Amino acid sequence: MVQHKQFGKKILDIIDPVLVCLCIAASILGIVAIFSATYSMGTYRLVIVQSCALVVGVIAMLCISRVDYELWGEATKLIYIGNVILLVLVLFIGMGRDTTGTKGWIDMGPVSLQPAEFVKLGFILTFAKHLQAVKNDVNYIPTLILLTLHMGVIVALILLQPDAGTAMVFVFIFLSMLFAAGFSYKYLAVGAIAFVIAAPIFWYFKESFLSTYQINRFLVFFDPYRDPTGAGYNVIQSEISIGSGQLAGQGFLQGSQNQLEYLPAKHTDFIFATIGEEWGFIGAIVVVALLAFIIMRCLLIARKVNDDFGCFICVGIASMFAFHMIENIGMCLQLMPVTGIPLPFFSYGGSSLLTSLMAIGFVNSVSRRTRGLNF
């Protein structure tokens, strides 16, 4: 009994209990939603894979939580090189898993890994260290050029897959961490003006940068009924599913769009629509609240820690979760273009869940510093 108490105390010493409980609760609800989404398929394989990813993810989170995050800062050059090697490797041996033409997965036998998910964490660590070194000069043009190059190499390799949705995640993380370091709003204004000027030119030459599938996704964002059986089908079915859930939902395993296979990608990209149909507005609010509390907890820890490197890590991880949540839920509601970005802790995907829990491990490591514990 004493040993159990000591073990429990050691666990509590290396984690932020509130943050970890929120993440595990979200992950378990995600597995329940995946079970419902795949029930009509007559197989439990995906539920088993996600459950195994949860167990492995929790173990990885605890291991990372025990390590002083400053040690990762000493290896950022190696981490960045590893990120580049992984993304280059994907271009040669990557495989696709959908009709978008994206080849971002590496076959590992019974499972496949999406390296870009893990590269997000590597990028946050390396960029946080870079920002720590140049924080006082972050608004100087030469410094900004180097910081942009830091992000640009990664984004360019991801766009070659091609995966514009994931590239957008990196850009959002980049900007969020820049602002945390004191980036001037005047540059944002200049960037906004440049975007307005460049957007029409980019759209005129869109065929040179985007595939036909990607172009159609942007077009149906404004009017999904221009191609109701093609590019607009996913969004239309998602809206029908969420709307039919009303306040309390149709009931577990009772969603008509879900169980009758009308809703596509119902266990991955559109898991939120599955939840909205079966759990209703109440269930949807629970999902949003869980993710919002996770993000706010990360930002609270970032605010408390008296260390730039730790602060930037937490801000980067919070921004990663925030963009995923906003984009995924937004596309289910036709408020954002469909990009195939998973909903953290809820969407099926071992790489995504493992990455999310590892990210919480880094936040836990930073959180220990705020409690004044010895490493």
Side-chain angles (χ1 to χ4, degrees), residues 19 69 120-121 123-125 127-129 131-132 135 169-183 294-305 307-324 359-360 362-364 366-367 370:
L19 180 61
Y69 64 91
K120 290 173 188 173
L121 292 183
F123 173 74
I124 290 171
L125 291 172
F127 195 60
K129 194 64 178 179
L131 278 176
Q132 183 190 38
K135 182 182 177 184
V169 178
F170 282 90
V171 173
F172 187 82
I173 293 172
F174 169 77
L175 292 174
S176 299
M177 294 176 71
L178 268 183
F179 279 113
F183 184 59
I294 290 170
I295 294 166
M296 288 189 291
R297 191 71 180 177
C298 292
L299 292 176
L300 178 63
I301 293 170
R303 184 179 179 183
K304 283 185 176 182
V305 67
D307 173 73
D308 288 336
F309 183 45
C311 173
F312 296 148
I313 288 174
C314 291
V315 170
I317 289 171
S319 63
M320 177 182 73
F321 288 146
F323 187 86
H324 273 253
I360 297 303
F362 288 113
V363 178
N364 279 332
V366 177
S367 176
T370 68

Side-chain angles (χ1 to χ4, degrees), residues 31 34 43-54 348:
I31 291 173
I34 292 168
T43 176
Y44 300 115
R45 178 182 174 276
L46 301 184
V47 174
I48 294 172
V49 170
Q50 192 77 354
S51 300
C52 291
L54 173 58
Y348 170 77

Side-chain angles (χ1 to χ4, degrees), residues 109-126:
V111 296
S112 56
L113 296 178
Q114 189 176 10
E117 291 294 322
F118 301 101
V119 171
K120 290 173 188 173
L121 292 183
F123 173 74
I124 290 171
L125 291 172
T126 59

Side-chain angles (χ1 to χ4, degrees), residues 183-205:
F183 184 59
S184 175
Y185 285 94
K186 67 180 181 181
Y187 288 112
L188 180 62
V190 172
I193 293 171
F195 175 80
V196 171
I197 295 173
I201 300 173
F202 175 82
W203 188 252
Y204 183 79
F205 295 102

